[in-house]
Amino acid sequence: MSLSCDDIRAAADRISPWVHRTPVLTARSLDDRCGGSIFLKCENLQRVGAFKFRGAMNAVLQLTDAERAAGVVTHSSGNHAQALALAGKLAGVPVCVVMPRTAPAIKRAATEGYGAQVVSCEPTLADREATVARLIAERGFALVHPYDDWRVIAGQGTAAIELLEQAGPLDLVVTPCGGGGLLSGTAIAVKGISPTTRVIGSEPERADDARRSLELGYIVPSEDPRTVADGLRTSLGERDFSVIRRHVDAIVTATETDILDAMRFVWERFKIVIEPSSAVPVAAILNGRIDVTGKRVGVIISGGNVDLDPLFQFLAAKSL
Amino acid sequence: MSLSCDDIRAAADRISPWVHRTPVLTARSLDDRCGGSIFLKCENLQRVGAFKFRGAMNAVLQLTDAERAAGVVTHSSGNHAQALALAGKLAGVPVCVVMPRTAPAIKRAATEGYGAQVVSCEPTLADREATVARLIAERGFALVHPYDDWRVIAGQGTAAIELLEQAGPLDLVVTPCGGGGLLSGTAIAVKGISPTTRVIGSEPERADDARRSLELGYIVPSEDPRTVADGLRTSLGERDFSVIRRHVDAIVTATETDILDAMRFVWERFKIVIEPSSAVPVAAILNGRIDVTGKRVGVIISGGNVDLDPLFQFLAAKSL
């Protein structure tokens, strides 16, 4: 099986009563600095603060009656965990999330806050997979993988459909790339609607598994990369890779410094809260890896979930 | 002289080619928590990141030809400095800003970045006033006071006109209160358009000069108050006080902890960057000083200029 642009259009119709049509923002200061016209599709303003809600909702709405009754399981300590938890709550489907026991308490609490059950595992790939397999065997859950799932990929692609409607014709579209769900869904949607628009993936230099995988022609996993872009530490999924090979024009990278500078630039100039992963495509524009001179460029801002403790601890210490 | 709602409508027409019509945002999570329907008028998304640009632009556009040629002067180390600098740049009017020599270098650089001249003074009220007076005498500048100026007050009131257009009928409107320009402009606009809508000012408990001034019937200055809401440390202006006495229904306060909690709530749930001063009206809703149960409530989010150094230093230290 694969996925067509029509599948993504169908996903857009399916999830439209549940998702926010997020705004597209522009800023003179960004355009002046890079010489292009940049359109930020603000999925940080999506429900649960990330595009992940689109894919999760699309998957949950396609369950059979038997699957709905048994419930779904996934593994994630990031935005997909809360996204699936909320999707399940809205659709009346039980949700179980496997999280490493080392995950921050706040992530666990947020996921449980949406009514999901959280099951801890050891922070290893082997134990995570074993725990998920055990839950499926014992409780009959259906798996909703965070990115290696056609229903999820279709849902993620719906943001690009909206972006093209909102921004008008684009010369290129750039997304972050972690597991590849957003990039592959975006690529199918954009190439289906506007075949001459280039689609570019961006990742931290320290987690450049997509770039290396494309060069070598097979998936090269990242080994626990240390990057501030915590949403992009995962390696490509198989389905995602098959789409990216076919439809994505280039993968570019950004250093840690580039990422933080770009994140700060967006916070200061757009006054929106974006997470480090979202800053990666902006970083690749500002550091010159993508030439945007005179071009109309769409960027998918993937999410806005940032740990604000350090800033607020500082403000409290200064003030109280 | 005083000010009417028609003056504010005229100001709105005058500045409309120059200002952003900022969006009004809502969030389920805020409404659920306080029991009312809250509409945030996002002046953090205004040019220079604050409502102050409205008043500054309105003042600059009303200068006589002789005044335009000589230029304007003000004193501010906050948002009014950059607002007047940009307004002057756009209108082709020289701008001089008096700042205490202790002001952060970044504020000075930002103001100079818009082409204004910055003159340092000692960090005392006496030297500030003497420096401004000297510049007016020597160079023929016209003063554009940050809040005690009818043109500035009229400009600030234009945000409330937009808010009422965008949100529909409101039971009450809440603003922060520092020097009183935003509150007095808002009060004249709201009472002119919708006389039954209540107008409430909010200030830090540690800088409650407006509350005390209203109680006593004369202006009681704040003596260098220590509050995280740095935009609200100033005391009421005379013109502002005369309007507030007549048109404002109540002044409420929030503690430092209330302010930081509200600021964080807005960052996390709306994913927008707001400065501490902007969080004060939200704090007064969340801490129960304003009863919003079942009410439609407009809140003017005054600005989004926050020092992000601590957060980004933390992120860099963790990542690099």
Side-chain angles (χ1 to χ4, degrees):
Chain A
M1 192 206 155
S2 180
L3 202 70
S4 72
C5 186
D6 282 343
D7 295 324
I8 298 179
R9 290 188 200 275
D13 289 342
R14 188 178 297 118
I15 66 177
S16 66
W18 307 98
V19 301
H20 292 327
R21 188 178 171 90
T22 54
V24 170
L25 299 182
T26 60
R28 215 174 307 232
S29 50
L30 177 56
D31 292 358
D32 286 351
R33 191 165 146 189
C34 71
S37 298
I38 314 296
F39 300 86
L40 302 190
K41 173 66 173 166
C42 289
E43 288 294 299
N44 57 326
L45 305 177
Q46 187 52 265
R47 295 180 82 170
V48 313
F51 74 93
K52 293 276 186 183
F53 179 66
R54 295 176 181 269
M57 197 73 220
N58 189 48
V60 165
L61 290 174
Q62 289 183 83
L63 297 172
T64 65
D65 286 349
E67 286 170 332
R68 290 176 57 92
V72 294
V73 65
T74 197
H75 51 85
S76 168
S77 54
N79 291 331
H80 178 66
Q82 290 175 58
L84 190 64
L86 176 58
K89 183 184 172 187
L90 294 172
V93 173
V95 175
C96 178
V97 177
V98 174
M99 254 184 219
R101 59 173 173 71
T102 50
I106 194 171
K107 297 272 185 186
R108 198 185 165 108
T111 305
E112 289 173 339
Y114 288 116
Q117 182 194 1
V118 174
V119 173
S120 290
C121 68
E122 293 302 308
T124 64
L125 179 63
D127 193 56
R128 186 185 81 188
E129 293 192 341
T131 306
V132 170
R134 179 172 58 76
L135 286 162
I136 291 172
E138 288 177 6
R139 313 223 348 229
F141 289 136
L143 176 65
V144 179
H145 191 280
Y147 45 88
D148 200 357
D149 179 309
W150 293 119
R151 301 163 300 182
V152 170
I153 293 171
Q156 319 305 32
T158 62
I161 293 182
E162 293 178 18
L163 169 61
L164 287 166
E165 288 169 357
Q166 292 166 298
L170 295 173
D171 297 303
L172 55 105
V173 173
V174 195
T175 81
C177 181
L182 178 63
L183 178 56
S184 53
T186 299
I188 295 170
V190 170
K191 297 294 183 182
I193 295 169
S194 171
T196 60
T197 300
R198 298 184 75 218
V199 176
I200 298 180
S202 59
E203 55 186 1
E205 207 168 271
R206 289 193 181 168
D208 64 343
D209 58 293
R211 189 186 60 71
R212 288 183 290 124
S213 300
L214 271 192
E215 269 175 28
L216 293 170
Y218 55 89
I219 295 177
V220 188
S222 279
E223 304 289 343
D224 192 25
R226 266 192 80 220
T227 171
V228 68
D230 52 340
L232 307 182
R233 290 177 193 148
T234 43
S235 305
L236 285 182
E238 283 182 31
R239 291 168 185 78
D240 313 279
F241 181 58
S242 71
V243 173
I244 290 168
R245 286 182 83 164
R246 205 165 142 195
H247 290 301
V248 169
D249 297 286
I251 302 280
V252 294
T253 61
T255 67
E256 297 297 296
T257 303
D258 293 342
I259 295 168
L260 287 175
D261 286 352
M263 179 174 163
R264 184 166 185 162
F265 188 86
V266 171
W267 283 46
E268 288 184 339
R269 300 311 182 112
F270 287 78
K271 304 295 181 194
I272 57 173
V273 175
I274 69 169
E275 59 192 51
S277 304
S278 300
V280 175
V282 180
I285 289 169
L286 293 176
N287 74 7
R289 301 288 172 96
I290 306 175
D291 179 15
V292 298
T293 313
K295 295 200 171 72
R296 295 171 55 82
V297 181
V299 172
I300 300 191
I301 295 294
S302 49
N305 294 323
V306 182
D307 180 7
L308 298 172
D309 273 344
L311 178 65
F312 281 87
Q313 277 164 12
F314 172 84
L315 288 172
K318 209 176 67 167
S319 154
L320 302 181
Chain B
M1 191 208 155
S2 179
L3 204 69
S4 71
C5 186
D6 282 342
D7 295 324
I8 298 178
R9 289 188 201 276
D13 289 341
R14 188 178 297 118
I15 65 177
S16 66
W18 307 97
V19 301
H20 292 327
R21 187 177 171 92
T22 55
V24 171
L25 300 183
T26 60
R28 218 175 304 233
S29 51
L30 176 57
D31 291 358
D32 285 350
R33 190 164 146 190
C34 72
S37 298
I38 314 297
F39 300 86
L40 302 190
K41 174 66 173 167
C42 289
E43 288 295 298
N44 57 324
L45 305 176
Q46 188 51 263
R47 295 180 81 169
V48 311
F51 73 93
K52 293 276 186 183
F53 179 66
R54 294 176 181 269
M57 197 73 219
N58 190 48
V60 165
L61 291 173
Q62 288 182 84
L63 298 171
T64 65
D65 286 351
E67 287 170 332
R68 291 177 56 93
V72 294
V73 66
T74 196
H75 52 84
S76 168
S77 55
N79 291 330
H80 178 67
Q82 291 175 57
L84 190 65
L86 176 59
K89 183 184 173 189
L90 294 171
V93 173
V95 174
C96 177
V97 177
V98 174
M99 256 185 218
R101 58 174 173 71
T102 51
I106 193 170
K107 297 270 183 186
R108 196 185 168 108
T111 305
E112 289 173 341
Y114 289 115
Q117 180 194 3
V118 174
V119 173
S120 290
C121 68
E122 294 302 308
T124 63
L125 179 63
D127 194 56
R128 186 186 80 189
E129 294 192 340
T131 307
V132 170
R134 179 174 57 75
L135 286 162
I136 290 172
E138 288 176 7
R139 314 223 347 231
F141 289 137
L143 176 65
V144 180
H145 192 280
Y147 45 88
D148 201 358
D149 179 310
W150 293 119
R151 301 163 300 182
V152 170
I153 294 171
Q156 319 305 33
T158 61
I161 293 182
E162 292 177 17
L163 169 61
L164 286 166
E165 288 169 359
Q166 292 166 298
L170 294 174
D171 297 303
L172 55 106
V173 173
V174 195
T175 80
C177 181
L182 178 62
L183 178 56
S184 54
T186 299
I188 295 169
V190 170
K191 296 294 182 180
I193 295 168
S194 171
T196 60
T197 300
R198 299 184 75 218
V199 176
I200 298 180
S202 59
E203 56 186 1
E205 207 168 272
R206 288 191 182 170
D208 64 343
D209 59 293
R211 189 186 60 71
R212 289 181 290 124
S213 300
L214 271 191
E215 268 175 28
L216 293 170
Y218 56 89
I219 295 176
V220 187
S222 280
E223 304 290 343
D224 192 23
R226 268 192 79 219
T227 171
V228 68
D230 52 340
L232 307 182
R233 290 177 192 148
T234 44
S235 305
L236 285 182
E238 282 182 33
R239 291 167 186 78
D240 313 278
F241 181 57
S242 72
V243 173
I244 291 168
R245 287 183 81 166
R246 204 163 141 197
H247 290 301
V248 170
D249 296 287
I251 302 279
V252 294
T253 60
T255 66
E256 297 296 295
T257 303
D258 293 341
I259 294 167
L260 288 175
D261 287 351
M263 179 174 161
R264 183 165 185 163
F265 189 87
V266 171
W267 284 45
E268 289 185 338
R269 300 311 182 112
F270 289 77
K271 304 294 180 196
I272 57 174
V273 175
I274 69 169
E275 58 192 51
S277 304
S278 300
V280 174
V282 180
I285 289 170
L286 292 177
N287 75 8
R289 301 288 172 96
I290 305 175
D291 179 15
V292 299
T293 314
K295 295 199 171 72
R296 294 171 56 82
V297 181
V299 172
I300 300 191
I301 296 294
S302 48
N305 294 324
V306 182
D307 179 7
L308 298 173
D309 273 343
L311 178 66
F312 281 87
Q313 278 164 10
F314 173 84
L315 288 172
K318 211 175 64 165
S319 155
L320 303 181

